[in-house]
Amino acid sequence: MRAISSYITKHKNRFLEELFSLIRIPSISADSAYEQHMEAAAKAVQIALKDVGCTHTELCPTNGYPIVYAEKIIDPKLPTVLVYGHYDVQPPDPLDLWETPPFEPEIRETDLHPEGAIFARGACDDKGQMFMHIKAMEVMEQTGGLPCNIKFMIEGEEEVGSDNLEDFVRANTKKLENDVILISDTGMIANDIPSITTGLRGLSYVEVEVTGPNRDLHSGLYGGAVANPVNILTQMIASLQDENNRITIPGFYDNVEIVSAAERAEMAKIPFALDAYKNALDIKAVHGEEGYTTLERKSIRPTLDVNGIWGGYTGEGAKTVIASKAFAKISMRLVPNQKSEKITKLFTEHFKSLAPEGVTVKVTPHHGGESYVMHPDGLEFQAASKAYLETFGKAPLPVRDGGSIPIVALFEETLKSKTVLMGFGLDSDAIHSPNEHFGVFNFLKGIETISHFYHHFTTLHQANQ
Ligand code: BES
Ligand code: MN
Ligand code: MN
């Protein structure tokens, strides 16, 4: 399969230029001011899919942003791979922390990316990774042809909870029929330690509002005599974790999957340098649930984190005031057997019960989703394994990840197929943060590995028929 790698080497600069054009479109799904750019990004993805040889492409309207669908069916008897990805990106703020503007991609070297990394919002999450699949199709078409059927479903609302994708998937199960789903929207351990994500956490996300007096008050005239919503909110939040950093919501841990000692022993073999981890974040110590390692805490254990908190006076100088209201956004990452809706309900009941009489509490649920675990014994994992072995010279390690892609659990439920999460980003690529980047090496290796996957999957699938 030398043809694949030499084709990629030959066209590398054009691949990067094409990706840059897509990255330059600021497709921020969270901000309605970018609506036109969202449409433009969807259109650009559709054209790119047409250009690499999809025989049918369409922009499927939804109640939100369009879903790009494309396919090339070469033989109904051959297996079908469904690729999922997203063309929307996170808002880039805070802008002043970017070394170069977020939508003007630039290649710069970093310690972990000596061959250069593309710095831009969406470079890794997920335009760069999604685009690898479009280019892998080109590579296959130009080096002997696709070995099987291919379908693409690229959405524009992943970063805001995929609200319209569920209806689309449920309404189009026939159209989306496949033998395996392929997604590159996660990471791997290191450029010389390839890994495949075998687990994603679920998510329950709520916004809370604590209301005290009917107006902001002078903190001297009223301080000490009425409940201060900011004080109360912080006390309530603090009580959600105990001294062992376990979550105190009654029922929160009911049914939580107990990972076997054998699996934990396997996890302990995953290379993880705690000192490097701390150094990269400039922290003196890690912090988390008693009795678990850092890798376990961020993958197989559920969590509760405040993502934002505000209320009262936050401007320059000092204003003496007791705010009428205080707010926080709280996420809970969930593990197998915890159901997002149930956890949101348990949180709501418990949180309200914590409030003293002097305040009222409102809890508003946001998007959520279920966790996903795949066991690395299936044919799809084997096919992926062979592909990595060829391109990285090493078999990939199965690793459970801490992030969430809620749609993966829904795919399994509705389309009855397994998802292979072939992510090529690194944790240090700063997704969702200023200076997001994606290694040029990772981008090119990704294209190559994906192309090999199709060949191995087709062979294994046919041998299994
Ligand atoms: N690509 C990420 C998820 C991810 C990244 C999983 C790295 C594992 C490793 C995705 O775009 C994302 O940001 N998901 C959100 C959830 C979503 C419902 C907004 C998340 O995990 O916070
Ligand atoms: Mn993503
Ligand atoms: Mn994301």
Side-chain angles (χ1 to χ4, degrees), residues 86 88-90 124-126 158-160 185 404-405 431-432 436:
H86 59 96
D88 64 323
V89 302
Q90 285 275 327
C124 180
D125 184 13
D126 181 41
E158 199 278 340
E159 299 292 8
V160 288
D185 194 20
S404 308
I405 310 178
I431 64 170
H432 294 208
E436 173 178 353

Coordinates of all heavy atoms in Angstrom, one line a residue, residues 86 88-90 124-126 158-160 185 404-405 431-432 436, ligand 3:
H86 N -18.2 16.9 12.6 CA -19.0 18.2 12.7 C -18.2 19.3 12.1 O -17.0 19.4 12.3 CB -19.5 18.4 14.1 CG -18.4 18.6 15.2 ND1 -17.9 19.8 15.6 CD2 -17.8 17.6 16.0 CE1 -17.0 19.6 16.6 NE2 -16.9 18.3 16.8
D88 N -19.1 22.5 12.8 CA -19.2 23.7 13.7 C -18.0 23.7 14.7 O -17.4 22.6 14.9 CB -20.5 23.7 14.5 CG -20.8 22.6 15.4 OD1 -20.3 21.4 15.1 OD2 -21.3 22.8 16.5
V89 N -17.7 24.9 15.2 CA -16.6 25.0 16.2 C -17.1 25.8 17.4 O -18.1 26.4 17.4 CB -15.4 25.7 15.5 CG1 -14.9 25.0 14.3 CG2 -15.7 27.2 15.2
Q90 N -16.3 25.7 18.4 CA -16.5 26.4 19.6 C -16.2 27.9 19.4 O -15.3 28.3 18.6 CB -15.6 25.9 20.7 CG -16.0 24.6 21.3 CD -17.0 24.7 22.4 OE1 -17.0 25.7 23.2 NE2 -17.9 23.8 22.5
C124 N -8.4 21.1 15.2 CA -8.4 19.7 15.7 C -9.9 19.3 15.9 O -10.3 18.2 15.5 CB -7.7 19.6 17.0 SG -7.7 17.9 17.7
D125 N -10.7 20.1 16.5 CA -12.1 19.8 16.9 C -13.0 20.7 16.1 O -13.4 21.8 16.4 CB -12.2 20.1 18.4 CG -13.6 19.7 18.9 OD1 -14.4 19.0 18.2 OD2 -13.9 20.1 20.0
D126 N -13.6 20.2 15.0 CA -13.3 18.9 14.4 C -13.0 19.0 12.9 O -12.9 18.1 12.2 CB -14.6 18.0 14.6 CG -14.5 16.6 14.1 OD1 -13.4 16.0 14.3 OD2 -15.4 16.1 13.6
E158 N -22.8 20.0 16.8 CA -22.3 19.2 17.8 C -21.9 19.9 19.1 O -22.1 19.5 20.2 CB -21.0 18.4 17.3 CG -20.6 17.2 18.1 CD -19.8 17.5 19.3 OE1 -19.2 18.6 19.4 OE2 -19.8 16.6 20.2
E159 N -21.3 21.1 18.9 CA -20.8 21.9 20.0 C -21.9 22.5 20.8 O -21.7 23.1 21.9 CB -19.8 23.0 19.5 CG -18.6 22.4 18.9 CD -17.6 21.6 19.8 OE1 -18.0 21.4 20.9 OE2 -16.5 21.3 19.3
V160 N -23.2 22.4 20.3 CA -24.3 23.0 21.1 C -25.3 21.9 21.4 O -26.5 22.2 21.7 CB -25.0 24.2 20.3 CG1 -24.1 25.4 20.4 CG2 -25.3 23.8 18.9
D185 N -13.0 12.4 16.2 CA -13.3 13.6 17.0 C -12.9 13.4 18.4 O -13.5 14.0 19.4 CB -14.8 13.8 16.9 CG -15.3 15.2 17.4 OD1 -14.4 16.1 17.4 OD2 -16.5 15.4 17.7
S404 N -17.2 13.8 25.7 CA -18.6 13.3 25.4 C -18.9 13.5 23.9 O -18.6 14.6 23.4 CB -19.6 13.9 26.2 OG -19.3 13.8 27.6
I405 N -19.4 12.5 23.2 CA -20.0 12.7 21.9 C -21.3 12.0 22.0 O -21.5 10.8 21.7 CB -19.1 12.1 20.8 CG1 -17.7 12.7 20.9 CG2 -19.7 12.5 19.4 CD1 -16.7 12.1 19.8
I431 N -8.1 22.0 22.4 CA -9.4 22.1 21.8 C -10.3 22.9 22.8 O -10.1 22.8 24.0 CB -10.1 20.7 21.4 CG1 -10.3 19.8 22.6 CG2 -9.2 20.0 20.4 CD1 -11.2 18.6 22.3
H432 N -11.2 23.7 22.3 CA -12.1 24.6 23.1 C -11.3 25.7 23.8 O -11.9 26.5 24.4 CB -12.9 23.8 24.2 CG -13.9 22.9 23.6 ND1 -15.0 22.5 24.3 CD2 -13.9 22.2 22.5 CE1 -15.7 21.6 23.6 NE2 -15.1 21.4 22.4
E436 N -5.9 26.6 19.9 CA -6.2 25.2 19.5 C -5.2 24.9 18.3 O -5.0 25.8 17.5 CB -7.6 25.1 19.0 CG -7.9 23.8 18.4 CD -9.4 23.6 18.0 OE1 -10.3 24.5 18.3 OE2 -9.7 22.6 17.3
Ligands
MN3 MN -15.8 20.1 20.9

